[in-house]
Amino acid sequence: MLEVAFSKPALPKSGILVLVIGEGEKPEGLWAEVDKASGGQIARALAAASFKGKRGQSCTVLAPVSGIARVVAVGLGKRDAAGLREYEEAGGAAAAASATQEVMTLVPGGSAEQAAHAALGAVLRAYRFDKYRTKEKPEDLPKLARVAVVHEEHAKVKVAWPELAAVAEGVFLTRDLVSEPANVLTPDEFAKRCEELTELGLKVNVLGLKEMKKLGFGALLGVAQGSANEPRLVVIEWHGAAKKKVKPVAFVGKGVTFDTGGISIKPAAGMEDMKWDMAGAGTVAGLMAVLARRHAKVNAVGILGLVENMPSGTAMRPGDVVTSYSGQTVEVLNTDAEGRLVLADALWYCQERFDPRFMVNLATLTGAIIIALGHDYAGLFSNDDGLAQKLTEAGEATGEKLWRLPLAEVYDKMLKSDIADMKNIGGRPGGSITAAQFLQRFVNGRRWAHLDIAGTAWASKDNAVTPKGASAFGVRLLDRLVATHFEE
Ligand code: BES
Ligand code: MN
Ligand code: ZN
């Protein structure tokens, strides 16, 4: 993670200086100072580039003052209308423009809180998964290592920072997990990485094959049975509420460490993407880490269903009937609709064991959600309007946006099976909805929401605060949900 420091406004003697500029603003403070030192060169460059401070605009001026390698102007849009999200985006743009130097001095302006969020944006954008790059030349590596945030109320910014640093650490844990290839991140390895979280004060328990067989997790184990890598169910608990007995909030994640489709095998093109079919579980792990790191005053439980979906001589066949932990039977007509089978047992186990205030599950569940919503909104399904509303608002606030889709009897009927309680697919029309209906059959009538993150868990291009690759979509959204509504 980038190192972040805070100080009072003063021109740096080296590195990159980033000025966050609101629409229509005139030079003042450090901006005026550096412009003067450059002999008006910065003002001329901004005018020549038609830089007006609009949201998303930016302009780089090379070496305008001796010592300073670049001055970068980043547009914020109208400062009065800018929320935390806009400051994060500006920080993200600042980091993206500052890879060539070790130190960036960031001048965000705004309130102390807004300035801290600009720093968060910079830190999030500067993430890189470089564990397996052994041959990069030093000159090709990004150099940025340190952000100096300058602000009149720098002491206040500093106080606001640790909570946000906790968020960034959780996001990075998720991004690391999601980026790992499936030969490394098997269910067992994933569970081991979760066990390391006990260092943060989390309680972590892992159920293995034997335990799940004994409990009767027929749906999850049906998916797992074709793989040489044994499944795991990870239970992560955070006890942060002052009153010990407060019921927990619960988060459940689909953790298919690789999804070949099983016997209903996927086409070869793009199959490598299915290493990130564990993003739901990765997000739950990252979220639990955030709650622990920032000592959230809440009781929370995270459940991760970890399996690998492979075709083999021991794999589940299309037409097989499995008996889920809930007792309901499922006719598996397509072994590629495996995530719902994993979640069926994880959700039932969660509500039965923890009696939670609500359950939110996350899953890269359907290709159909990408067709419906693309890569900017995740699908939201819920049996509770209040919970859906809170989630939607938390999504707007963090930039991890949700769009609600319906649940209804007509869709539920599409899961009718000729020989079992239900089948695991409902046909192509409304594919994301029938998948959600399937999950709803395993929540036992409890308050619940399902986030289909198949379109948002991974980005094929750089975004404001997310470089290309694993986004950790959901970590910040759910942390915000908890912080706003469920802490004492
Ligand atoms: N993991 C996939 C969904 C997915 C597809 C995520 C593309 C990200 C990108 C899921 O297990 C799956 O295969 N779903 C099937 C369901 C179908 C067989 C009913 C799908 O969406 O095609
Ligand atoms: Mn699948
Ligand atoms: Zn899948």
Side-chain angles (χ1 to χ4, degrees):
M1 183 159 113
L2 288 184
E3 195 189 320
V4 185
F6 308 90
S7 55
K8 64 176 193 292
L11 279 189
K13 300 209 164 45
S14 62
I16 293 178
L17 175 67
V18 181
L19 306 164
V20 176
I21 295 176
E23 205 173 324
E25 285 177 359
K26 299 265 162 344
E28 56 170 2
L30 279 190
W31 178 11
E33 220 178 291
V34 74
D35 186 42
K36 197 172 159 211
S38 75
Q41 190 190 331
I42 290 166
R44 286 194 298 279
L46 296 187
S50 303
F51 178 89
K52 302 251 161 42
K54 292 205 171 109
R55 187 173 174 187
Q57 252 188 334
S58 78
C59 176
T60 298
V61 188
L62 290 173
V65 177
S66 118
I68 300 180
R70 296 162 187 232
V71 171
V72 181
V74 170
L76 180 70
K78 296 237 160 58
R79 201 175 283 271
D80 290 346
L84 298 176
R85 176 70 193 165
E86 283 74 17
Y87 279 87
E88 287 166 6
E89 286 178 7
S98 301
T100 59
Q101 293 285 316
E102 226 163 275
V103 184
M104 155 170 72
T105 301
L106 180 60
V107 192
S111 69
E113 192 191 18
Q114 287 168 333
H117 278 261
L120 175 63
V123 166
L124 291 177
R125 179 66 187 266
Y127 172 84
R128 204 161 177 260
F129 185 76
D130 47 17
K131 191 172 165 185
Y132 298 109
R133 301 171 191 259
T134 67
K135 295 199 162 183
E136 270 183 322
K137 299 193 198 93
E139 62 267 31
D140 294 339
L141 288 171
K143 294 201 182 61
L144 187 62
R146 193 175 138 92
V147 183
V149 181
V150 303
H151 197 272
E152 292 293 348
E153 298 181 297
H154 58 95
K156 269 196 188 168
V157 188
K158 190 173 179 179
V159 170
W161 179 245
E163 288 232 339
L164 301 186
V167 171
E169 294 281 8
V171 165
F172 291 173
L173 171 63
T174 301
R175 289 182 185 173
D176 286 348
L177 289 167
V178 174
S179 302
E180 281 288 3
N183 63 324
V184 173
L185 200 78
T186 58
D188 183 53
E189 172 64 17
F190 196 152
K192 288 200 169 106
R193 298 216 187 165
C194 291
E195 281 171 335
E196 291 171 11
L197 298 176
T198 51
E199 279 175 21
L200 302 176
L202 291 159
K203 187 173 152 197
V204 182
N205 277 301
V206 179
L207 304 190
L209 183 58
K210 255 199 203 147
E211 286 111 326
M212 287 192 271
K213 272 191 180 156
K214 212 161 155 194
L215 286 163
F217 279 19
L220 185 152
L221 292 175
V223 179
Q225 78 189 34
S227 172
N229 295 309
E230 279 188 16
R232 297 286 184 266
L233 190 93
V234 178
V235 179
I236 309 176
E237 290 171 66
W238 170 246
H239 297 273
K243 286 191 215 126
K244 278 215 161 124
K245 292 247 164 71
V246 185
K247 287 180 187 175
V249 296
F251 304 96
V252 181
K254 167 180 171 180
V256 176
T257 58
F258 197 81
D259 181 14
T260 63
I263 296 297
S264 313
I265 198 162
K266 288 180 181 295
M271 202 201 274
E272 66 278 7
D273 284 354
M274 288 300 112
K275 76 168 184 183
W276 49 262
D277 208 20
M278 38 54 70
T283 299
V284 172
L287 170 67
M288 296 305 291
V290 175
L291 297 179
R293 281 181 186 275
R294 66 173 188 78
H295 308 289
K297 295 186 180 62
V298 67
N299 291 340
V301 50
I303 298 196
L304 288 65
L306 307 178
V307 302
E308 186 179 47
N309 189 22
M310 296 293 266
S312 77
T314 62
M316 195 161 55
R317 293 149 289 250
D320 282 5
V321 174
V322 297
T323 302
S324 68
Y325 180 49
S326 73
Q328 302 175 90
T329 56
V330 181
E331 184 188 10
V332 179
L333 290 183
N334 189 321
T335 63
D336 198 11
E338 85 297 340
R340 62 198 76 183
L341 296 170
V342 173
L343 287 171
D345 285 344
L347 284 165
W348 193 270
Y349 180 76
C350 178
Q351 58 86 30
E352 184 182 85
R353 174 158 169 211
F354 292 100
D355 187 20
R357 290 159 80 177
F358 64 77
M359 298 191 281
V360 175
N361 77 255
L362 299 111
T364 47
L365 203 62
T366 65
I369 204 70
I370 309 175
I371 304 303
L373 299 176
H375 299 286
D376 292 294
Y377 281 75
L380 161 65
F381 301 83
S382 183
N383 59 6
D384 187 285
D385 292 344
L387 181 59
Q389 178 73 24
K390 290 182 178 76
L391 283 162
T392 303
E393 286 168 9
E396 287 295 332
T398 53
E400 296 180 340
K401 289 183 284 193
L402 302 176
W403 196 261
R404 193 176 182 187
L405 289 135
L407 292 164
E409 183 68 32
V410 282
Y411 298 111
D412 194 65
K413 281 198 185 124
M414 291 158 78
L415 296 170
K416 207 168 156 8
S417 157
D418 291 334
I419 70 158
D421 297 337
M422 70 196 85
K423 52 187 186 182
N424 75 329
I425 51 171
R428 273 171 65 85
S432 301
I433 307 176
T434 50
Q437 293 291 164
F438 184 94
L439 299 181
Q440 192 177 20
R441 290 177 176 226
F442 296 88
V443 303
N444 205 10
R446 288 163 183 272
R447 264 179 108 194
W448 154 81
H450 153 53
L451 311 185
D452 193 335
I453 58 170
T456 54
W458 187 271
S460 52
K461 59 171 181 51
D462 287 343
N463 284 307
V465 299
T466 316
K468 177 177 168 175
S471 67
F473 184 103
V475 172
R476 302 188 51 215
L477 157 75
L478 295 174
D479 175 60
R480 182 66 67 98
L481 174 82
V482 171
T484 312
H485 299 287
F486 297 97
E487 294 192 50
E488 291 162 348

